[in-house]
Amino acid sequence: MSKVSSTTSSSVARGGAYVTLAPRNEVLEVESEAQLRTLLSSLSGVDAVGLEARVAKLSTRSLKQSTKLTALDLAISMVDLTTLEGADTPGRVRSLCHKARRPDPHDAAVPNVAAVCVYPDLVSVARDALAGSRVAVASVATAFPSGRASLAVKLADVREALAAGADEIDMVIDRGAFLAGRLGRVFEEIVAVKAECGAARLKVILETGELVTYDNVRRASWLAMLAGADFIKTSTGKVGVNATLPFALVMLEAVRDFAEVAGRPVGVKVAGGVRNAKDALRYLVVVNETVGARWLSADYFRVGASSLLNDLLMQRYKQRRGVYPRSDEFSGD
Amino acid sequence: MNGAFVRSESGRSYEIVDASGTFVANVARASRKDVRDAVVAARAAQAKWWAATAYNRGQVLYRLAEMAESRRDELRDHVALAEASEAVAAVARAIDRVVWYAGWTDKIAQVYGSTNPVAGPFFNFSHPTPSGVVAVLAHPTSFEGLIDQVMAPLAAGNTVVVVASERHPTPAVLLGELSVTADFPPGVLNVLTGSLDELAPVVCAHEDVDGVDLSGVDDALLGELRSLSAESIKRVVRAGFASDADSLRRLRTFIETTTVWHTVGQ
């Protein structure tokens, strides 16, 4: 199958300190489905009570004053501004792109967001609207959101998005296959899509709400990273349960452990259900405490959202000016 | 707040006492974050409150009067703490006044709306629309005054955040409690209790509050609150109360006028 190996010793961040680890290649070469199965089942189970207690504890952290302002700006720079509606129009995407380039028209100091995330047919519109900016174009592909199509169709979807100018591909895994235990199929699909992506960044959506258990999410995270994901992403935003802090923590722990073993930092994207600044800052705290400060950058952590950006801007306004803004101070799209 | 009886986000409370210094109750001492939450609730509720038919708003206010009627004795006891005047009569007048405003909901447009003559083939209509979210700094010693302050903006389709009197908040708290049982949609009437010095500047500086009734503040605070309100372009009222003429002026205070041109059909 595919090889993920680190041939030299590597440095990874853990709690802010850098430690050097010996390479352990033997663990990371995936040569057969049976071996993949053995590898994933060798992962220890998640202590759900401990996990939730840790999340609850970290959620009580309060960021104040200048730290809060820095965190708000950081969060804005990590947003993948998303519109994934059947009713999307080129006009709506264009206005979203303008907002992505300059989130607050009154204040040039507000950083641009990380990316705009759209369906493949609107990638070219976003590409044009974002020309000359540092905002990336991300596209969902591979039969988003269900992932229920043949591999050929999924690859064609990816090709189309890339041809239109996408910098990043958000793919969904085949949850049906994963839950039925056909891990090899899920793995091979990710490998094939990664090969198709070339230099484009690949985000693999696990859809934690459909995987249901923490153990499944841990296994799926490892599977995606072994198959070559640049990012692992919580959700599509299209099912009942979206991103939650405990699921994000499980994924961040997997990322941390994978970086130690493979020497390759993988990013995490949370999507769906992150609507206000307070939630976003909680995620940043969990990121910092789990994988360290290196991940506090748009290269390694993203938040997929639409309404979140306005709340971040409103909190920023409040912090800077000391008064609460009008509810329509910032544009809807 | 928002149809629920929440404690202050800050966890603070304070004691209120009657004229002889005897303990009456513990009440929540709201913080600026409670103001924020109340305004968010009021803003979210406003569109729906205004979209309801004027008749429906009237029915809700009538129901409030009925609920107040059924708890008349309790209201009397709490009003008596705050007012020098005869509490039984004050409560009776206040309830009558709620009924009076309930009757106004579907008549405001008739009185303040107009068909305007224009030199062209157009119909030209002006009709009253609510300002939006109105903050009320409650009158400390007149329940009837409080009813005027709260019911006028509500009848016109605004949603209201009340900062209750600091020394005698219980009549306002009771009013909030009655509103929930009277079928007010959550967020339409929100009542905060706490320190006026602390809350009033936050309310007046809040840019998402469209109007503020300062009848409950004394002259010392007035200048600062007026300038804060001006900064965020609020409609400000500080008026007398308890006569029909004043009430009409109040009804008109938190109303904006929308004018529509419509072509005359052939």
Side-chain angles (χ1 to χ4, degrees):
Chain A
M1 287 169 87
S2 161
K3 240 180 211 188
V4 182
S5 61
S6 65
T7 50
T8 56
S9 60
S10 57
S11 293
V12 294
R14 185 168 202 173
Y18 280 79
V19 288
T20 305
L21 294 155
R24 288 153 63 187
N25 296 347
E26 73 286 356
V27 183
L28 293 172
E29 289 170 22
V30 178
E31 278 154 359
S32 68
E33 180 163 354
Q35 193 213 342
L36 180 67
R37 195 179 305 282
T38 312
L39 199 157
L40 293 184
S41 60
S42 74
L43 296 169
S44 61
V46 178
D47 165 15
V49 174
L51 181 88
E52 283 161 14
R54 178 149 177 79
V55 164
K57 181 135 188 281
L58 290 176
S59 296
T60 62
R61 285 279 172 89
S62 173
L63 306 181
K64 301 285 188 204
Q65 309 294 329
S66 64
T67 316
K68 185 169 187 185
L69 265 177
T70 312
L72 287 171
D73 278 1
L74 183 63
I76 291 170
S77 75
M78 290 170 163
V79 167
D80 275 9
L81 202 54
T82 305
T83 180
L84 297 170
E85 303 296 330
D88 282 346
T89 59
R92 185 176 147 87
V93 169
R94 263 182 229 112
S95 74
L96 203 70
C97 290
H98 289 301
K99 181 149 185 160
R101 296 173 81 128
R102 186 143 178 201
D104 183 351
H106 300 296
D107 189 352
V110 179
N112 58 270
V113 306
V116 166
C117 185
V118 293
Y119 275 117
D121 61 325
L122 290 165
V123 167
S124 59
V125 177
R127 181 79 277 161
D128 291 345
L130 292 172
S133 76
R134 286 173 298 168
V135 182
V137 180
S139 174
V140 294
T142 70
F144 183 90
S146 67
R148 302 202 87 110
S150 72
L151 182 57
V153 171
K154 290 180 179 179
L155 292 179
D157 206 9
V158 172
R159 264 195 300 279
E160 191 182 312
L162 290 170
D167 306 304
E168 304 177 351
I169 296 293
D170 289 26
M171 74 169 285
V172 286
I173 64 166
D174 185 341
R175 279 89 71 191
F178 182 88
L179 293 170
R182 285 144 68 203
L183 303 178
R185 180 191 162 111
V186 180
F187 186 88
E188 278 163 14
E189 276 191 1
I190 300 174
V191 170
V193 172
K194 175 66 186 166
E196 196 70 51
C197 280
R201 209 173 241 167
L202 176 65
K203 307 192 198 110
V204 178
I205 303 171
L206 309 180
E207 194 65 294
T208 52
E210 290 188 348
L211 298 183
V212 183
T213 68
Y214 295 132
D215 289 354
N216 275 345
V217 172
R218 177 173 280 181
R219 288 190 202 104
S221 302
W222 273 87
L223 183 150
M225 291 187 291
L226 288 166
D230 298 309
F231 264 82
I232 50 177
K233 173 173 165 184
T234 57
S235 328
T236 58
K238 301 288 186 197
V239 300
V241 179
N242 292 308
T244 64
L245 275 165
F247 279 134
L249 180 54
V250 171
M251 291 165 66
L252 286 161
E253 285 174 349
V255 162
R256 177 192 66 198
D257 297 344
F258 183 81
E260 276 191 13
V261 181
R264 183 168 76 88
V266 174
V268 172
K269 174 172 170 182
V270 294
V274 190
R275 290 206 177 79
N276 57 46
K278 193 176 250 180
D279 286 345
L281 298 191
R282 282 182 180 148
Y283 279 104
L284 294 189
V285 169
V286 172
V287 169
N288 189 49
E289 295 300 318
T290 311
V291 282
R294 183 178 177 186
W295 266 260
L296 290 178
S297 125
D299 288 335
Y300 296 114
F301 190 72
R302 296 280 182 87
V303 185
S306 41
S307 56
L308 168 67
L309 181 58
N310 271 3
D311 199 55
L312 288 168
L313 291 171
M314 284 170 87
Q315 293 306 319
R316 196 179 179 282
Y317 186 103
K318 164 69 179 64
Q319 289 296 317
R320 297 234 167 227
R321 304 199 197 187
V323 295
Y324 294 108
R326 288 191 66 82
S327 48
D328 55 3
E329 176 72 24
F330 300 102
S331 64
D333 281 330
Chain B
M1 188 196 299
N2 208 12
F5 302 97
V6 291
R7 293 178 186 191
S8 168
E9 157 280 337
S10 63
R12 302 175 304 177
S13 65
Y14 68 105
E15 288 187 357
I16 50 169
V17 293
D18 65 13
S20 63
T22 313
F23 170 80
V24 176
N26 286 306
V27 295
R29 187 166 161 210
S31 68
R32 64 186 169 79
K33 288 193 177 176
D34 293 314
V35 172
R36 174 197 63 187
D37 293 347
V39 174
V40 167
R43 174 61 65 192
Q46 200 272 327
K48 205 177 152 205
W49 179 239
W50 172 234
T53 60
Y55 167 77
N56 183 234
R57 271 198 303 284
Q59 292 297 299
V60 171
L61 297 192
Y62 274 128
R63 183 76 189 131
L64 177 69
E66 285 179 359
M67 299 306 296
E69 188 72 42
S70 71
R71 292 175 70 177
R72 172 189 280 268
D73 293 347
E74 195 181 354
L75 271 171
R76 179 203 59 209
D77 293 345
H78 286 283
V79 168
L81 290 173
E83 295 187 24
S85 64
E86 228 287 279
V88 174
V91 169
R93 283 199 309 274
I95 293 172
D96 285 351
R97 198 148 277 276
V98 176
V99 173
W100 190 83
Y101 280 110
W104 264 104
T105 55
D106 56 0
K107 295 163 190 74
I108 294 170
Q110 298 171 40
V111 175
Y112 294 121
S114 60
T115 308
N116 314 316
V118 288
F122 300 99
F123 293 121
N124 185 278
F125 308 107
S126 293
H127 63 277
T129 53
S131 299
V133 175
V134 172
V136 166
L137 307 183
H139 200 285
T141 56
S142 166
F143 187 55
E144 213 181 337
L146 173 66
I147 292 294
D148 259 342
Q149 286 182 292
V150 172
M151 292 303 144
L154 284 179
N158 300 283
T159 51
V160 172
V161 176
V162 179
V163 179
S165 153
E166 188 171 346
R167 283 186 59 208
H168 301 296
T170 48
V173 171
L174 261 178
L175 185 67
E177 194 181 318
L178 291 171
S179 78
V180 173
T181 48
D183 232 9
F184 274 57
V188 168
L189 177 60
N190 309 277
V191 180
L192 300 172
T193 53
S195 152
L196 194 66
D197 288 351
E198 182 187 355
L199 298 177
V202 181
V203 165
C204 290
H206 199 307
E207 296 182 357
D208 209 26
V209 174
D210 300 292
V212 61
D213 184 329
L214 299 178
S215 307
V217 293
D218 50 28
D219 295 341
L221 262 177
L222 197 60
E224 185 204 350
L225 296 183
R226 279 218 162 110
S227 84
L228 283 172
S229 303
E231 195 71 35
S232 47
I233 325 176
K234 278 185 197 29
R235 212 167 264 283
V236 176
V237 61
R238 184 170 188 257
F241 50 88
S243 76
D244 284 357
D246 280 335
S247 304
L248 265 182
R249 198 160 64 235
R250 278 185 184 281
L251 270 175
R252 199 175 51 201
T253 302
F254 296 114
I255 280 174
E256 313 295 329
T257 299
T258 304
T259 297
V260 182
W261 295 68
H262 197 289
T263 47
V264 175
Q266 295 304 312

